[in-house]
């Protein structure tokens, strides 16, 4: 039963069947929290809308999300479609009506769009969180504490890779890399500069390689991405992705290399994380074994069962409600969401300028539209 001493939140769910659908379980995330009631669903695809209403056990549906937001007196809007070209308009409409937001990643197509949303959240004192589920993984604060306590000595570098499947390169950077980059920044802190190159079949991308990307990404080019980031704490980070180079199992995630050892984290919620206490960074060249890092600490048994979005969404929803009620930012907030887009945009801006680019980026447009 709902706690009558606390506010009940009216939630509106936006999906778009055939154009990003309902994300990875973002529509059903609200069903497990006793303080959130899904009161309406919007989907421009009629049969998709009817299927969503049935699945979520909701009576009220709209073909136009703008009508839903205007009529339903919502507290929170879930922007579920994965296709990024819809996010700015959907989020801005929600914010203009005083609604807090939980949105699917990637955040926006450009930094200009992200800037609009950050400003709107700040002006209206509204909260936004994004489905960067690794940021909410219970292993992350443990890893950060281990780093602080010197578990791997001085941090020397961070390496991240995408899934490197058929989407490898720029599409991988956009669609999946935002997870790895956001996790990298959660560990490394603020970025100072980026130096990167984007290639197609091994050759530098030019204006003739730019085409309209899938999933509403917009202008896109390159099946290979090699990027270097310098963080303000002096640590260097790397992100790389090349088409069809991932294999199985995937390398999707990051590794943190230190003077006394290495920590590996897969991208996702409660995914495997490991610690090797050896400066060789290799179990084969040392007497050390890889030690699992669980939600209970290094070497401790795992007691949680749900992983990825099944475990992450309820945690994120609860954090968002607490942030709203205690006038604080969510654990992964609107500026974190913009930061992930800035790390992506910096790759293409550095490629365009053929030199390192400083943060914050001066260019807030898509750099691929400006290639000569």
């Amino acid at each position: 039963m709902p706690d009558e001493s606390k506010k009940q939140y009216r939630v509106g769910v936006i999906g778009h069947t055939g154009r990003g659908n309902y994300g990875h379980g973002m529509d059903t995330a609200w069903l497990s929290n006793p303080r959130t009631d899904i009161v309406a669903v919007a989907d421009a695809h009629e049969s998709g809308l009817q299927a969503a209403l049935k699945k979520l056990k909701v009576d009220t549906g709209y073909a136009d999300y703008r009508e839903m937001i205007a009529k339903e007196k919502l507290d929170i809007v879930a922007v579920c479609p994965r296709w990024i070209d819809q996010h700015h308009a959907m989020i801005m409409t929600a914010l203009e009506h005083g609604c807090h937001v939980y949105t699917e990643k990637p955040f926006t197509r450009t930094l200009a769009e992200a800037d609009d949303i950050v400003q709107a959240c700040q002006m209206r004192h509204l909260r936004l969180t994004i489905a960067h589920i690794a940021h909410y993984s219970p292993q992350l604060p443990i890893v950060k504490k281990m780093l602080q306590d010197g578990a791997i000595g001085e941090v020397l570098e961070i390496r991240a890779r995408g899934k490197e499947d058929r989407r490898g390169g720029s599409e991988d950077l956009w669609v999946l890399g935002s997870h790895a980059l956001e996790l990298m920044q959660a560990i490394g802190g603020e970025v100072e500069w980026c130096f990167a190159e984007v290639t197609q079949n091994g050759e530098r991308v030019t204006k003739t390689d730019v085409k309209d990307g899938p999933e509403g990404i917009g202008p896109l080019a390159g099946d290979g991405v090699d990027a270097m980031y310098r963080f303000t704490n002096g640590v260097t980070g790397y992100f790389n992705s090349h088409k069809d180079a991932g294999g199985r199992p995937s390398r999707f995630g990051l590794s943190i290399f230190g003077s006394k050892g290495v920590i590996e984290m897969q991208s996702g919620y409660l995914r495997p994380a490991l610690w090797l206490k050896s400066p060789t960074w290799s179990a084969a060249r040392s007497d050390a074994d890889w030690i699992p890092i669980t939600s209970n600490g290094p070497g401790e048994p795992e007691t949680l069962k749900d992983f990825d979005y099944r475990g992450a969404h309820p945690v994120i929803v609860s954090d968002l409600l607490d942030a709203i009620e205690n006038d604080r930012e969510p654990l992964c907030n609107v500026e974190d969401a913009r930061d992930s887009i800035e790390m992506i945009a910096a790759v293409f801006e550095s490629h365009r300028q053929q030199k390192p680019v400083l943060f914050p980026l001066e260019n807030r447009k898509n750099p691929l539209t400006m290639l000569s």
Side-chain angles (χ1 to χ4, degrees), residues 237-306:
Y238 302 90
F239 177 86
N240 305 84
S241 175
H242 292 264
K243 184 178 180 179
D244 294 328
R248 296 295 179 187
S250 173
R251 292 184 292 267
F252 184 34
L254 57 77
S255 300
I256 310 162
F257 295 91
S259 59
K260 297 180 180 179
V262 57
I263 291 175
E264 293 190 351
M265 298 183 69
Q266 286 190 21
S267 182
Y269 181 86
L270 207 64
R271 300 295 294 171
L274 299 166
W275 173 31
L276 183 69
K277 295 191 288 183
S278 171
T280 66
W281 301 347
S282 168
R285 288 183 288 156
S286 70
D287 295 328
D289 292 320
W290 287 98
I291 300 171
I293 303 171
T294 71
S295 62
N296 295 308
E300 298 296 328
E302 184 57 72
T303 53
L304 298 177
K305 296 181 180 179
D306 291 330

Side-chain angles (χ1 to χ4, degrees), residues 5-325:
S5 67
K6 294 185 177 181
K7 175 182 172 66
Q8 285 294 118
Y9 289 86
R10 294 172 58 84
V11 178
V13 169
I14 303 176
H16 196 157
T17 302
R19 287 183 54 82
N21 303 317
Y22 290 82
H24 294 294
M26 287 187 62
D27 53 341
T28 57
W30 311 93
L31 299 176
S32 63
N33 193 302
R35 298 183 58 203
T36 56
D37 300 317
I38 302 174
V39 298
V41 180
D43 188 335
H45 190 284
E46 177 58 27
S47 63
L49 174 60
Q50 295 306 315
L53 292 171
K54 182 178 180 180
K55 178 172 65 171
L56 300 174
K57 298 180 174 58
V58 177
D59 296 327
T60 306
Y62 294 85
D64 189 332
Y65 68 86
R66 291 171 287 260
E67 184 182 3
M68 177 185 74
I69 293 172
K71 288 184 176 180
E72 291 295 335
K73 295 183 174 61
L74 302 171
D75 298 302
I76 301 171
V77 172
V79 177
C80 302
R82 295 189 315 275
W83 284 32
I84 190 173
D85 58 331
Q86 305 169 92
H87 288 181
H88 178 262
M90 289 175 174
I91 294 169
M92 288 298 291
T93 301
L95 296 174
E96 287 163 3
H97 285 79
C99 303
H100 306 281
V101 175
Y102 181 23
T103 184
E104 180 62 285
K105 57 79 197 167
F107 186 39
T108 57
R109 293 173 297 181
T110 66
L111 279 169
E113 289 185 345
D115 291 340
D116 283 347
I117 294 170
V118 170
Q119 183 180 32
C121 284
Q122 293 172 345
M123 287 180 59
R124 294 174 171 83
H125 304 287
L126 295 169
R127 307 304 175 192
L128 178 146
T129 191
I130 187 169
H132 285 148
I133 60 177
H135 201 125
Y136 287 87
S137 180
Q139 296 137 304
L140 180 58
I142 292 171
V143 167
K144 293 171 78 170
K145 181 67 163 54
M146 291 173 66
L147 297 176
Q148 183 181 349
D149 292 345
I152 62 170
E154 178 188 358
V155 176
L156 301 176
E157 64 183 63
I158 305 173
R159 301 180 193 167
R161 301 197 77 95
K163 283 195 173 179
E164 299 187 279
D165 52 18
R166 60 176 177 76
R167 299 165 292 186
S170 294
E171 184 180 350
D172 195 13
L173 173 66
W174 268 110
V175 176
L176 297 162
S178 61
H179 281 301
L181 295 177
E182 203 281 328
L183 184 59
M184 185 189 294
Q185 198 162 36
I187 292 168
E190 293 185 10
V191 183
E192 190 173 282
W193 54 256
C194 172
F195 185 37
E197 182 176 60
V198 184
T199 55
Q200 182 69 40
N201 298 322
E203 301 293 331
R204 277 184 55 85
V205 160
T206 66
K207 183 177 181 178
T208 58
D209 295 304
V210 179
K211 297 177 175 58
D212 200 36
E215 299 192 11
I217 293 172
L220 193 68
D223 61 8
V225 167
D226 296 287
M228 175 192 296
Y229 299 94
R230 176 60 57 84
F231 296 91
T232 53
N233 63 5
V235 173
T236 301
Y238 302 90
F239 177 86
N240 305 84
S241 175
H242 292 264
K243 184 178 180 179
D244 294 328
R248 296 295 179 187
S250 173
R251 292 184 292 267
F252 184 34
L254 57 77
S255 300
I256 310 162
F257 295 91
S259 59
K260 297 180 180 179
V262 57
I263 291 175
E264 293 190 351
M265 298 183 69
Q266 286 190 21
S267 182
Y269 181 86
L270 207 64
R271 300 295 294 171
L274 299 166
W275 173 31
L276 183 69
K277 295 191 288 183
S278 171
T280 66
W281 301 347
S282 168
R285 288 183 288 156
S286 70
D287 295 328
D289 292 320
W290 287 98
I291 300 171
I293 303 171
T294 71
S295 62
N296 295 308
E300 298 296 328
E302 184 57 72
T303 53
L304 298 177
K305 296 181 180 179
D306 291 330
F307 60 92
D308 282 345
Y309 59 85
R310 286 166 287 191
H313 287 318
V315 173
I316 298 173
V317 168
S318 294
D319 179 67
L320 177 58
L321 300 189
D322 186 74
I324 293 168
E325 293 171 355

Side-chain angles (χ1 to χ4, degrees), residues 355-372:
K355 65 179 184 180
V357 291
L358 299 178
F359 283 51
L361 298 180
E362 291 186 10
N363 178 23
R364 313 303 277 183
K365 301 177 181 178
N366 185 326
L368 289 176
T369 65
M370 305 167 68
L371 284 177
S372 57

